[in-house]
């Protein structure tokens, strides 16, 4: 299911993916040619309940993987319209899925993309969804406190509450994948044909830290570290994103269970990543400079960060840890497509203030 709206946001922002993105028809045809298998495709918007209900009735899914949200923090911070769009799109889309599941496939397992950014950067360890709290002589296991970074991250907090409520009230089974920042581009499948390539964003709105630094190094742009660069986040390779979804699907939550996995493999500070890209680029003969830009966001630039992430490892996740080879491959890919990069959209525009 897709409404292909991501392509419209590129037009709105005057940017494009570093890699060319084929039309949906071309992608489906390329996969069919490679695998001999058809993928059933439904074009539509999760905000349209009739559409969502039709798909649930027609397809009768055992698992529903929901990655259909506006996922950029800066996009949600552009102005009132973008904040409202992000929260309506994300919260209403997820509510429609929950209602359609309840009405049509109550046993279906919802696998929902959440974010590590729901938790913020507390000065204590981040647990996987829940924390045991003692208060005035009593004890309970409660949802971990949320201090999200943006209106986008807030939309996922609202989703989490809605999903947890429907698990409790209707017996929905759900897994919230609280994912960190994804890097990399290909999986084994998408690498097989250029028409199957994923998008990879380098612009100041949708581009994310490590991918952006690799592309910047390749095209001769300074590496854009915001502020001091001590901001520490959880990261994972895109191949591990796919492994995690598969593991969640193969090991469904129980009826009525709202399960939370912290989906990442390593933690890095932004400056640490920029320095690593700078070193690898240097070995490739590229002179990448690090620029400390004024931070457009309101966030701590030096802080404690330690997040627990054992549940997916317990299910069998085999992490692809960040390697110099992958950084080199990303830089080489960006060099291949460098004529698609517009320097005017690299610097951040949306500010938090
Ligand atoms: N940052 C820089 N320079 C850049 C880009 C980002 O210093 O050029 C810094 C930001 O200030 C921030 C950190 O890097 O401290 C991460 O920013 P990001 O743009 O790489 O990622 P973020 O906005 O946090 O959002 C991304 C995805 C989002 C996902 C989230 C996971 O876009 O969908 O939910 O990562 S998490 O960060 O764990 O919340």
């Amino acid at each position: 299911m897709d409404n292909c709206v991501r392509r419209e946001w590129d037009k709105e922002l005057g940017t494009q993916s570093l890699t060319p993105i084929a039309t949906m028809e071309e992608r489906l045809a390329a996969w069919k040619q490679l695998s001999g298998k058809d993928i059933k495709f439904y074009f539509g918007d999760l905000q349209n309940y009739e559409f969502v209900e039709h798909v649930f009735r027609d397809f009768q899914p055992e698992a529903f993987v929901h990655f259909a949200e506006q996922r950029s923090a800066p996009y949600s911070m552009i102005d009132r319209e973008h904040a409202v769009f992000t929260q309506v799109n994300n919260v209403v889309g997820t509510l429609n899925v929950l209602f359609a599941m309840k009405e049509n496939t109550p046993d279906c397992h919802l696998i929902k993309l959440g974010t590590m950014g729901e938790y913020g950067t507390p000065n204590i360890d981040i647990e996987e969804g829940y924390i045991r709290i003692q208060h005035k002589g009593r004890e309970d296991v409660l949802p971990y406190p949320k201090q999200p970074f943006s209106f986008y991250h807030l939309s996922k907090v609202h989703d989490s509450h809605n999903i947890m409520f429907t698990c409790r009230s209707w017996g929905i089974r759900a897994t919230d994948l609280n994912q960190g920042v994804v890097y990399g581009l290909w999986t084994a499948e998408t690498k097989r044909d250029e028409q199957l390539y994923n998008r990879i964003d380098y612009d100041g709105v949708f581009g994310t830290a490590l991918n952006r630094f690799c592309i910047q190094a390749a095209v001769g742009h300074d590496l854009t570290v915001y502020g001091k660069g001590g901001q520490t986040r959880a990261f994972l390779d895109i191949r591990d994103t796919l492994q995690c979804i598969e593991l969640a699907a193969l090991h469904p939550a129980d009826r009525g269970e709202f399960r939370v996995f912290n989906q990442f493999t390593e933690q890095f500070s932004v400056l640490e990543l920029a320095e690593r890209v700078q070193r690898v680029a240097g070995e490739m003969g590229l002179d990448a400079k690090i620029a400390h830009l004024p931070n457009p966001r309101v966030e701590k630039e030096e802080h404690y960060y330690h997040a627990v992430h054992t549940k997916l490892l317990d299910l069998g996740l085999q992490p692809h840890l960040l390697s110099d080879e992958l950084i080199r491959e990303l830089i080489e890919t960006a060099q291949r497509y460098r004529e698609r990069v517009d320097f005017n959209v690299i610097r951040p525009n949306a500010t938090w203030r």
Side-chain angles (χ1 to χ4, degrees):
M1 298 167 73
D2 200 333
N3 66 351
C4 299
V5 71
R6 184 66 189 83
R7 295 157 200 252
E8 302 307 312
W9 299 337
D10 269 354
K11 286 186 204 146
E12 177 198 342
L13 298 168
T15 183
Q16 61 182 351
S17 160
L18 173 78
T19 45
I21 302 298
T23 65
M24 188 57 81
E25 293 71 28
E26 289 165 340
R27 294 174 76 84
L28 294 168
W31 180 247
K32 185 166 185 185
Q33 204 172 13
L34 275 177
S35 67
K37 288 182 198 141
D38 262 324
I39 294 180
K40 187 157 188 177
F41 175 62
Y42 299 91
F43 179 84
D45 187 341
L46 292 189
Q47 285 193 62
N48 175 350
Y49 186 66
E50 277 179 17
F51 165 69
V52 180
E53 217 195 2
H54 164 73
V55 175
F56 271 87
R57 245 192 257 125
D58 189 56
F59 196 85
Q60 296 285 318
E62 290 160 36
F64 189 91
V65 180
H66 177 11
F67 268 51
E69 297 204 328
Q70 192 300 95
R71 66 116 184 117
S72 159
Y75 190 85
S76 76
M77 299 300 292
I78 291 175
D79 56 15
R80 188 195 67 83
E81 278 80 4
H82 290 81
V84 170
F85 170 78
T86 300
Q87 294 210 351
V88 171
N89 180 72
N90 294 1
V91 174
V92 171
T94 299
L95 266 178
N96 282 344
V97 168
L98 289 165
F99 273 92
M101 275 175 70
K102 175 183 183 242
E103 299 302 330
N104 300 284
T105 55
D107 205 37
C108 178
H109 176 207
L110 173 62
I111 300 171
K112 161 71 170 52
L113 182 61
T115 175
M116 285 300 292
E118 288 190 26
Y119 303 118
T121 51
N123 199 30
I124 55 171
D125 284 12
I126 294 170
E127 303 296 328
E128 288 197 84
Y130 299 91
I131 184 168
R132 181 173 294 281
I133 292 184
Q134 283 155 5
H135 183 63
K136 296 184 178 171
R138 300 185 67 81
E139 185 176 294
D140 205 349
V141 175
L142 297 170
Y144 195 92
K146 308 288 169 80
Q147 302 182 81
F149 295 122
S150 69
F151 287 124
Y152 150 71
H153 291 97
L154 273 154
S155 74
K156 298 231 162 168
V157 173
H158 305 329
D159 285 333
S160 296
H161 287 135
N162 285 340
I163 301 168
M164 183 160 56
F165 176 74
T166 59
C167 289
R168 203 169 61 226
S169 305
W170 302 340
I172 298 281
R173 53 170 100 228
T175 302
D176 204 358
L177 301 175
N178 278 350
Q179 184 165 253
V181 186
V182 179
Y183 60 82
L185 167 59
W186 292 298
T187 65
E189 288 92 355
T190 61
K191 205 174 190 173
R192 287 168 66 185
D193 185 330
E194 196 184 26
Q195 297 209 307
L196 295 173
Y197 281 11
N198 291 21
R199 55 177 306 121
I200 179 165
D201 298 303
Y202 68 90
D203 62 286
V205 177
F206 275 91
T208 51
L210 178 56
N211 280 351
R212 243 160 90 75
F213 298 155
C214 293
I215 299 167
Q216 290 164 349
V219 301
H221 192 286
D222 288 352
L223 310 191
T224 54
V225 169
Y226 299 163
K228 294 192 185 113
Q231 302 93 307
T232 301
R233 297 287 182 272
F235 285 81
L236 76 163
D237 186 302
I238 193 165
R239 291 169 291 181
D240 293 342
T241 296
L242 274 294
Q243 264 195 80
C244 292
I245 299 167
E246 188 174 5
L247 286 168
L250 292 173
H251 303 88
D254 292 333
R255 286 295 296 266
E257 183 187 11
F258 178 61
R259 191 171 62 167
V260 182
F261 293 161
N262 289 348
Q263 180 164 310
F264 71 95
T265 57
E266 292 175 279
Q267 300 184 175
F268 301 104
S269 77
V270 173
L271 183 58
E272 203 179 337
L273 289 175
E275 287 172 347
R276 184 142 172 203
V277 171
Q278 184 180 45
R279 177 175 55 73
V280 176
E283 289 163 13
M284 297 169 72
L286 298 166
D287 180 21
K289 295 195 173 53
I290 295 177
H292 287 266
L293 303 186
N295 196 338
R297 306 186 185 199
V298 176
E299 60 185 0
K300 290 182 199 149
E301 293 176 9
E302 284 168 321
H303 57 90
Y304 177 77
Y305 197 78
H306 184 259
V308 173
H309 58 114
T310 53
K311 291 188 187 170
L312 283 157
L313 293 169
D314 290 346
L315 288 182
L317 173 65
Q318 306 276 327
H320 294 83
L321 300 182
L322 180 61
S323 66
D324 289 356
E325 288 67 41
L326 186 93
I327 293 175
R328 202 170 300 123
E329 190 184 31
L330 283 173
I331 295 175
E332 281 167 4
T333 306
Q335 286 176 321
R336 214 165 104 211
Y337 293 109
R338 63 176 305 149
E339 80 288 349
R340 293 175 58 85
V341 175
D342 177 355
F343 272 48
N344 295 316
V345 298
I346 294 182
R347 285 179 79 94
N349 285 323
T351 92
W352 263 234
R353 291 175 183 85

